[in-house]
């Protein structure tokens, strides 16, 4: 049976730091083993684990009798362009270790988030389907596309229940994201709440798909629990709750903070954002595992502000 012991890699990151308490609430605290390359002394369960060290991954999976893995350890798009070698090592070698150890130790389920980063400049811009032209131009995108293929390969070849979904930009307030291109959204809301102005690193009309963290957590759980017989896809579900531009976010924030000001000075991240689509077709996630986002653009902004003010 799955979900007896759940390993979360990258547990200290933007998603992991919220997924761990979420899964602990659903399945029980002692069923969840959070792990990260940096230790966390505030959580006694926390395991210091470098996913690129296969022996340590093998040991952790065996020792804790892991049957389910949420493999979140990854280097994001902007950081990946600063250090492509690290992105390759963590996102590919790390995943390879997780998949190999999973086969060896008969892990039942491995969930690995993919990203809109797998798309590229040749991909159509709006309502992009799952199967489309995917020629990413970042190391992050290349590694995430390979991760989707590896998951499918391990399923077809070894019967591993590998699943994944393409996250859009994730908006959250608990843990800052680590070097993504969509991070402007979080930074802008945070500066507005602090009563400061913000200098945005993307052009004001850069439209990207987005999602609020509670919906992202719900997606991960729904995908993990999805009935196998309903799945026509495995590792590459498109998901997105809404699309927005930096200018739309600025205008929405001005409803709360009328004197809030944003200047736009695009940097190297603009090229990354320009290679990604503006909206996704998430219908497969709806029909195969009942994807149902609760937060639209306005509800996300409102809830972010309320929580940041606290
Ligand atoms: C990033 O900007 O790199 C991530 C992503 C869209 O995968 N947030």
């Amino acid at each position: 049976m799955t979900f007896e012991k759940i390993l979360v890699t990258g547990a200290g990151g933007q998603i992991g730091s919220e997924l761990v308490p979420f899964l602990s609430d659903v399945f029980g605290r002692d069923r969840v083993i959070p792990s990260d390359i940096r230790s966390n002394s505030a959580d006694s369960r926390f395991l210091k684990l470098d996913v690129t060290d296969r022996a340590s991954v093998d040991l952790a999976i065996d020792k804790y009798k892991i049957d389910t893995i949420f493999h979140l350890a990854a280097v994001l798009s902007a950081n990946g362009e600063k250090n492509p070698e690290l992105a390759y090592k963590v996102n590919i070698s790390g995943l390879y270790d997780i998949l190999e150890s999973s086969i060896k130790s008969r892990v039942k389920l491995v969930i690995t988030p993919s990203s809109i980063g797998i798309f590229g400049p040749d991909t159509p811009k709006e309502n992009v389907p799952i199967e489309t032209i995917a020629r990413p131009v970042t190391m992050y995108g290349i590694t995430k596309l390979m991760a989707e293929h590896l998951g499918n390969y391990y399923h077809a070849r070894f019967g591993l229940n590998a699943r994944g979904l393409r996250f859009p930009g994730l908006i959250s307030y608990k843990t800052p994201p680590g070097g993504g291109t969509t991070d402007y959204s979080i930074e802008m809301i945070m500066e507005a709440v602090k009563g400061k102005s913000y200098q945005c690193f993307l052009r004001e009309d850069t439209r990207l798909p987005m999602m609020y963290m509670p919906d992202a957590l719900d997606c991960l759980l729904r995908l993990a629990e999805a009935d196998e017989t309903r799945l026509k896809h495995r590792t590459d579900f498109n998901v997105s709750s809404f699309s927005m531009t930096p200018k739309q976010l600025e205008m929405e924030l001005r409803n709360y903070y009328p004197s809030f000001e944003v200047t736009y000075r695009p940097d190297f991240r603009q090229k990354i954002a320009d290679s990604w689509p503006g909206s996704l077709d998430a219908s497969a996630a709806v029909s195969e595992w009942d994807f149902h986002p609760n937060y639209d653009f306005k509800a996300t902004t409102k809830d972010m502000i309320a929580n940041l003010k606290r």
Side-chain angles (χ1 to χ4, degrees):
M1 174 140 130
T2 35
F3 309 120
E4 285 295 318
K5 276 281 182 191
I6 305 168
L7 177 69
V8 179
T9 70
Q14 185 196 9
I15 306 176
S17 60
E18 301 208 32
L19 185 68
V20 167
F22 177 78
L23 292 176
S24 303
D25 284 349
V26 175
F27 297 107
R29 219 186 115 77
D30 54 355
R31 293 233 200 128
V32 182
I33 310 291
S35 73
D36 204 294
I37 194 156
R38 288 174 295 269
S39 54
N40 174 352
S41 50
D43 187 338
S44 56
R45 297 169 296 176
F46 216 91
L47 185 68
K48 194 167 179 301
L49 181 66
D50 176 357
V51 292
T52 66
D53 174 354
R54 170 92 65 82
S56 303
V57 174
D58 279 347
L59 201 70
I61 290 177
D62 277 351
K63 180 171 171 198
Y64 294 98
K65 302 194 176 8
I66 299 296
D67 59 26
T68 305
I69 301 179
F70 287 83
H71 177 48
L72 307 179
V75 175
L76 295 186
S77 58
N79 276 357
E81 291 314 283
K82 287 186 197 149
N83 193 343
E85 189 181 348
L86 181 69
Y88 185 88
K89 209 171 151 205
V90 175
N91 299 3
I92 295 294
S93 306
L95 173 65
Y96 187 75
D97 288 350
I98 291 286
L99 293 171
E100 280 294 311
S101 296
S102 294
I103 296 301
K104 214 170 107 192
S105 302
R106 296 193 161 73
V107 170
K108 304 266 184 354
L109 174 65
V110 178
I111 303 268
T112 310
S114 181
S115 159
I116 54 168
I118 65 108
F119 299 116
D122 308 325
T123 305
K125 280 285 167 207
E126 298 302 331
N127 204 27
V128 172
I130 292 180
E131 283 90 12
T132 185
I133 301 169
R135 292 196 202 107
V137 289
T138 60
M139 181 55 96
Y140 175 64
I142 291 165
T143 62
K144 283 294 171 186
L145 187 57
M146 187 165 170
E148 292 181 3
H149 289 300
L150 278 175
N152 286 331
Y153 176 79
Y154 273 72
H155 175 253
R157 172 106 198 239
F158 305 111
L160 178 68
N161 194 353
R163 298 181 181 183
L165 74 188
R166 295 170 182 160
F167 273 138
L170 294 182
I171 302 180
S172 67
Y173 56 89
K174 285 192 183 145
T175 305
T181 302
T182 55
D183 299 3
Y184 86 83
S185 52
I186 302 174
E187 292 175 6
M188 194 189 288
I189 301 172
M190 283 182 162
E191 294 311 290
V193 173
K194 281 191 227 155
K196 295 188 174 166
S197 56
Y198 178 62
Q199 183 174 299
C200 185
F201 57 76
L202 294 185
R203 245 184 8 248
E204 62 179 40
D205 61 349
T206 312
R207 190 159 171 275
L208 291 170
M210 295 281 175
M211 181 179 279
Y212 194 32
M213 187 57 83
D215 282 331
L217 302 178
D218 184 62
C219 276
L220 287 168
L221 184 62
R222 280 177 196 254
L223 178 61
E225 292 187 323
D227 182 347
E228 184 68 30
T229 60
R230 286 178 68 191
L231 296 186
K232 294 193 185 75
H233 301 85
R234 299 207 66 80
T235 59
D236 50 11
F237 287 97
N238 284 348
V239 289
S240 156
S241 306
F242 56 91
S243 294
M244 68 174 192
T245 65
K247 190 70 185 176
Q248 285 170 326
L249 181 58
E250 176 194 341
M251 299 314 283
E252 181 64 13
L253 287 166
R254 216 170 278 153
N255 292 328
Y256 297 84
Y257 304 98
S259 58
F260 179 54
E261 277 183 19
V262 180
T263 51
Y264 294 90
R265 193 177 290 178
D267 66 13
F268 73 99
R269 287 167 281 194
Q270 185 64 50
K271 193 171 162 223
I272 302 177
D274 284 343
S275 75
W276 293 350
S279 63
L280 305 180
D281 171 5
S283 55
V286 175
S287 64
E288 294 177 44
W289 45 270
D290 306 317
F291 168 55
H292 177 74
N294 288 310
Y295 290 85
D296 63 11
F297 170 48
K298 280 184 177 291
T300 299
T301 315
K302 188 174 174 203
D303 203 67
M304 278 289 285
I305 292 172
N307 281 292
L308 284 169
K309 272 180 21 193
R310 263 186 239 137

